[in-house]
């Protein structure tokens, strides 16, 4: 980016981007730890995830304050304005991603440890996908890489397919093993939370695309939608 | 940090950064390769956003910590931070991924592979035992039929062992970023040449050449596997279109598109798992080992690329990947 005449403006923008990255780092770790806690029935680790969530909330508040201050004092234009607006929106979405991770962690204690449920082996694979989307969208944000952002958007379909497949598996499992219904229902919510994390990573990707290019990520950039339009 | 004009950090193999007042003021080549060329001049949290890493770097006295999943999933790095002056820190990173992942992947691998090998072996044994029985094995026509089955199963085992060997070779080198200069456009044309007896394959590229830092044999195998799949599952005599596009942002986008029946969406996320098959009987009949796409994914990831498959039923399947173009 071109440097500004007022050096402290650059510092403000840099600080804003740093805060977003820090939030993202916390959210990434929260997803991984929550799913690890679930697959190893580690309630202590799950409690830790829940206890760490306020850090993400505090950072969101800090992003809000800084963004509003930049708008009030510097009246940013063009790419600077996009950067600030995108940061405001992205911080809200990352906060939600953190909440979903917290929600997964909260369910760890409610899944019966002794019950072996087949779809439980699918959930870590789905979590890898969702976590990979979050990681890459944060990489795209850091590098202002619109192309990587588009690639993340494409990956969302896979997470959705995984969700559908886990849903079917779990419903079948519940019919055959009514005793495990309450545990299986918890897992259904976990899968749902992961699916939402994927959706939110997509939202961030759209904003990264916007901040980097100044254009909205339209159907033109999403080939599978493009094909659907033709029919 | 220089001796007679040579910057020592630049020539270090291990990624190293200098952080001045919370901003990356210098990154050596290894660090730029790992974390991206954009990090210089940025807030250090853009480069390393892991919470433990941030707290060590911003700590008064420095320290060390472990980071999971830096830049790619499943990797483990150790971060070491030294205070070298007021507000200045030297951050270096050491890759521990190899030690951690070897133990983890070994167990599943042995379990899966032995299951897959036992199936053809059981068939072979069954038919051989029947042939040895003079009552059942006497008839010439039955003999021939049985021997053909045995041959088919033995060939299947042979290709399975071959694929297992290449997979383990790729696994062994997974954490070393390959450094040879490979011209992907030329390599694709060369690989297509191996197939072209009657196969309808077209190659289009927006550049004459595209250099990727990689392993020539492995990238060649990626294309062989993808073209092989497209031939197996595509429409008979249908077109297979390979497109290469180098972008200004430093990525090479490659797509291999067929006009086959497509793959049902619920299978898509699991296609790159070892031994996962969308249609077990069809894959076996076509001589598939269930490892082809897993090999492709591992190779692309080793090259710090991304691999994806999209498919629409009745329209066709596209295998696409993006590889980072080598910086000249």
């Amino acid at each position: 980016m071109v440097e500004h005449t007022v050096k402290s403006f650059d510092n403000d923008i840099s600080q804003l981007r740093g805060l977003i990255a820090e939030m993202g780092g916390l959210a990434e770790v929260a997803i991984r730890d929550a799913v690890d806690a679930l697959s190893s029935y580690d309630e202590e680790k799950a409690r830790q995830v829940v206890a760490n969530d306020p850090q993400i909330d505090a950072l969101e508040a800090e992003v809000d304050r800084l963004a509003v201050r930049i708008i009030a004092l510097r009246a940013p234009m063009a790419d600077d304005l996009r950067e600030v607006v995108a940061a405001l929106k992205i911080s809200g979405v990352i906060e939600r991603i953190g909440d979903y991770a917290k929600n997964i962690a909260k369910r760890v204690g409610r899944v019966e440890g002794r019950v072996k449920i087949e779809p439980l082996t699918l959930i870590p694979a789905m979590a890898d996908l969702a976590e990979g989307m979050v990681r890459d969208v944060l990489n795209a944000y850091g590098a202002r890489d619109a192309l990587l952002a588009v690639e993340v958007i494409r990956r969302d379909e896979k997470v959705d397919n995984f969700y559908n497949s886990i849903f079917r598996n779990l419903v079948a499992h519940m019919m055959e093993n009514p005793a495990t219904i309450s545990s299986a229902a918890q897992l259904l919510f976990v899968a749902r939370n992961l699916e939402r994390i994927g959706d939110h990573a997509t939202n961030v990707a759209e904003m990264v695309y916007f901040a980097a290019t100044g254009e909205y990520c339209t159907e033109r950039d999403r080939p599978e939608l493009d094909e659907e339009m033709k029919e | 940090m220089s001796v007679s004009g040579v910057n020592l950090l630049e020539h270090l193999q291990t990624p190293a950064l200098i952080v001045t007042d919370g901003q990356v003021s210098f990154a050596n080549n290894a660090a730029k390769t790992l974390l991206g060329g954009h990090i210089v001049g940025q807030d250090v949290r853009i480069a390393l956003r892991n919470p433990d890493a941030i707290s060590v770097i911003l700590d008064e006295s420095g320290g060390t910590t472990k980071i999971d999943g830096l830049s790619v999933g499943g990797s483990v790095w150790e971060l070491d931070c030294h205070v070298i002056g007021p507000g200045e820190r030297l951050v270096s990173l050491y890759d521990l991924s190899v030690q951690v992942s070897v133990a983890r992947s070994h167990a599943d691998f042995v379990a899966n592979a032995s299951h897959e090998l036992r199936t053809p072996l059981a068939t072979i044994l069954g038919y051989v035992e029947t042939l040895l029985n003079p009552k059942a094995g006497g008839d010439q026509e039955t003999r021939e039929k049985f021997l053909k089955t045995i041959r088919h199963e033995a060939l299947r085992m042979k290709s399975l062992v071959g694929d297992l060997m290449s997979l383990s070779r790729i696994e062994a080198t997974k954490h070393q970023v390959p450094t040879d200069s490979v011209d992907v456009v030329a390599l694709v044309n060369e690989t297509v040449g191996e197939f072209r007896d009657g196969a309808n394959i077209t190659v289009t590229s927006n550049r004459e050449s595209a250099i990727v830092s990689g392993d020539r044999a492995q990238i060649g195998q990626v294309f062989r596997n993808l073209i092989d799949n497209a031939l197996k599952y595509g429409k008979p005599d249908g077109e297979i279109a390979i497109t290469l596009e180098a972008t200004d942002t430093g990525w090479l986008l490659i797509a291999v598109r067929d006009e086959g029946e497509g793959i049902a969406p619920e299978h898509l996320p699991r296609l790159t798992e070892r031994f996962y098959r969308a249609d077990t009987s069809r894959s076996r009949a076509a001589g598939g080992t269930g490892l082809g796409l897993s090999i492709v994914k591992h190779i692309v990831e080793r090259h710090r690329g991304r691999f994806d498959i999209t498919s629409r039923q009745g329209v066709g399947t596209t295998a696409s990947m993006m590889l980072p173009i080598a910086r000249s």
Side-chain angles (χ1 to χ4, degrees), chain A residues 132-149:
Chain A
M133 286 176 72
V134 174
R135 179 174 47 243
D136 273 342
V137 83
L138 291 167
N139 286 341
Y141 177 75
R144 298 187 168 96
D145 186 341
L147 192 68
L148 188 56

Side-chain angles (χ1 to χ4, degrees), chain A residues 100-119:
Chain A
Y100 288 123
K102 180 175 76 176
N103 203 296
I104 293 171
K106 278 184 180 167
R107 296 180 191 279
V108 170
R110 298 183 215 158
V111 179
E112 288 263 347
R114 282 155 292 141
V115 190
K116 281 272 169 257
I117 300 176
E118 197 263 323

Side-chain angles (χ1 to χ4, degrees), chain B residues 257-274:
Chain B
R257 188 173 298 116
D258 71 42
E259 297 176 337
E261 294 160 25
I263 305 163
E266 66 262 30
H267 294 301
L268 285 176
R270 302 191 63 190
L271 287 177
T272 54
E273 283 175 27
R274 284 180 190 138

Side-chain angles (χ1 to χ4, degrees), chain B residues 135-270:
Chain B
K135 266 190 238 157
D139 174 40
Q140 184 61 27
E141 203 180 320
T142 321
R143 260 183 104 78
E144 221 159 83
K145 208 172 102 196
F146 280 20
L147 283 170
K148 264 190 193 147
T149 313
I150 291 171
R151 184 164 175 275
H152 178 80
E153 293 294 314
L155 283 176
R156 215 178 99 202
M157 272 183 88
K158 188 181 156 204
S159 56
L160 185 57
V161 169
D163 274 0
L164 284 172
M165 299 283 284
S166 31
L167 198 53
S168 81
R169 261 198 303 276
I170 299 157
E171 284 265 295
T173 55
K174 183 160 83 175
H175 298 290
Q176 303 161 10
V177 180
T179 49
D180 294 345
S181 293
V182 181
D183 179 356
V184 178
V185 178
L187 184 59
V188 167
N189 282 316
E190 198 178 295
T191 314
V192 167
E194 296 168 19
F195 281 92
R196 219 170 232 167
D197 44 338
N200 182 5
I201 307 175
T202 58
V203 180
T204 41
S205 169
N206 70 342
R207 297 273 170 93
E208 290 281 299
S209 70
I211 308 292
V212 163
S213 142
D215 181 318
R216 203 185 148 76
Q218 290 191 352
I219 298 181
Q221 184 165 22
V222 165
F223 290 116
R224 259 191 298 281
N225 285 5
L226 292 180
I227 295 170
D228 206 38
N229 274 353
L231 286 172
K232 260 188 229 159
Y233 302 108
K235 198 166 69 180
D237 306 321
E239 189 194 341
I240 295 166
I242 303 177
T243 53
L244 297 109
E245 188 193 345
T247 70
D248 298 336
T249 47
W251 291 100
L252 178 62
L253 311 180
I254 306 156
V256 180
R257 188 173 298 116
D258 71 42
E259 297 176 337
E261 294 160 25
I263 305 163
E266 66 262 30
H267 294 301
L268 285 176
R270 302 191 63 190

Side-chain angles (χ1 to χ4, degrees), chain B residues 7-18:
Chain B
N7 193 323
L8 288 179
L9 283 181
E10 194 64 77
H11 295 274
L12 217 56
Q13 292 289 314
T14 188
L17 312 167
I18 293 180

Side-chain angles (χ1 to χ4, degrees), chain A residues 30-106:
Chain A
I31 301 170
R32 183 163 56 237
D33 284 355
V35 175
D36 276 358
L38 180 72
S39 33
S40 58
Y41 301 106
D42 186 343
E43 291 194 38
E44 182 47 43
K45 199 174 205 172
R47 262 193 294 278
Q48 200 54 49
V49 173
V50 178
N52 285 344
D53 189 58
Q55 283 184 46
I56 301 183
D57 300 352
L59 282 170
E60 190 203 6
E62 208 176 318
V63 169
D64 275 8
R65 271 197 301 277
L66 182 57
V68 169
R69 212 176 71 109
I70 293 175
I71 294 172
L73 295 183
R74 317 274 184 203
M77 304 281 276
D79 54 347
D80 297 325
L81 181 59
R82 289 207 303 275
E83 188 78 65
V84 176
V85 170
L88 264 178
K89 290 171 118 181
I90 290 173
S91 75
V93 177
I94 295 178
E95 192 271 331
R96 290 295 298 148
I97 292 178
D99 285 348
Y100 288 123
K102 180 175 76 176
N103 203 296
I104 293 171
K106 278 184 180 167

Side-chain angles (χ1 to χ4, degrees), chain A residues 11 14-15 17-19 21-22 24-26 28-29 32 122 129 135-136 138-139 141-145 147-148 151 155 158 161-162 168 227-228 231, chain B residues 23 38 41-43 45-46 49-51 54 68-74 247 249 251 253 265-266 268-270 273 306-310 312 315 322:
Chain A
N11 288 340
S14 173
Q15 168 72 1
R17 288 172 56 78
L19 285 171
E22 191 176 351
L26 283 167
E28 255 178 283
V29 171
R32 183 163 56 237
L122 288 173
L129 270 180
R135 179 174 47 243
D136 273 342
L138 291 167
N139 286 341
Y141 177 75
R144 298 187 168 96
D145 186 341
L147 192 68
L148 188 56
E151 202 270 336
R155 251 187 272 169
K158 269 193 180 177
N161 291 334
F162 233 120
R168 273 199 301 273
E227 279 168 28
E228 246 139 53
E231 283 170 11
Chain B
Q23 290 198 344
H38 60 276
Q42 294 275 340
D43 192 295
R45 289 171 291 186
I46 290 282
R49 57 175 176 267
N50 179 284
I54 294 173
D68 284 344
L70 183 71
S71 85
V72 287
T247 70
T249 47
W251 291 100
L253 311 180
E266 66 262 30
L268 285 176
R270 302 191 63 190
E273 283 175 27
R306 309 281 192 282
F307 177 69
D308 192 26
I309 297 178
T310 51
R312 285 175 50 78
V315 179
M322 44 202 283

